[in-house]
Amino acid sequence: MTVTVLAILETDFKPEKALAKVMNDRLLRTAKELQDVHFKPLSGKGFSSDDLVVYISYNPKYKIRFRIVNDVPADIEYFVAECCGRLGFILWRANAIGVSSDIGG
């Protein structure tokens, strides 16, 4: 399995410049650590040759959030959720793309 963790540096909110730099540096370090250390067991034998792609970013309360962006088996989803939960990350709930909340219009 090929594991890729991407830090999404653009957020829904704009922190001040100095804080944004610290946050972005932390996010990049965290992405590398997740990929190289925490998700390393997924690269071993016994897992499919599929890819795992995980995005991490900040929410407006400055907590790291994560989201698996491709289809993976349930056991892989569980492993990622368990690992990220232990690290204090929260699930990144995204709105469906192309779905409008306007009724009748």
Side-chain angles (χ1 to χ4, degrees):
M1 174 167 278
T2 302
V3 178
T4 305
V5 180
L6 297 173
I8 306 301
L9 303 180
E10 293 296 319
T11 59
D12 306 340
F13 58 96
K14 296 287 183 206
E16 64 180 77
K17 196 170 188 170
L19 178 59
K21 171 142 178 47
V22 170
M23 289 171 55
N24 289 343
D25 289 347
R26 178 181 176 228
L27 207 57
L28 290 169
R29 280 192 317 272
T30 300
K32 182 166 178 38
E33 182 181 318
L34 277 173
Q35 184 172 318
D36 296 345
V37 177
H38 297 287
F39 296 162
K40 189 70 168 173
L42 295 177
S43 299
K45 295 182 178 168
F47 289 101
S48 67
S49 60
D50 295 337
D51 292 338
L52 167 66
V53 180
V54 178
Y55 287 174
I56 61 172
S57 183
Y58 282 100
N59 72 358
K61 295 181 180 180
Y62 304 109
K63 295 230 7 144
I64 292 180
R65 57 190 175 178
F66 73 95
R67 175 172 62 190
I68 299 173
V69 295
N70 61 328
D71 290 330
V72 294
D75 60 335
I76 303 298
E77 278 188 48
Y78 179 80
F79 179 88
V80 170
E82 181 74 22
C83 184
C84 289
R86 278 194 316 269
L87 294 169
F89 304 163
I90 58 173
L91 182 61
W92 183 349
R93 301 197 190 282
N95 295 332
I97 297 172
V99 176
S100 174
S101 60
D102 295 338
I103 297 176

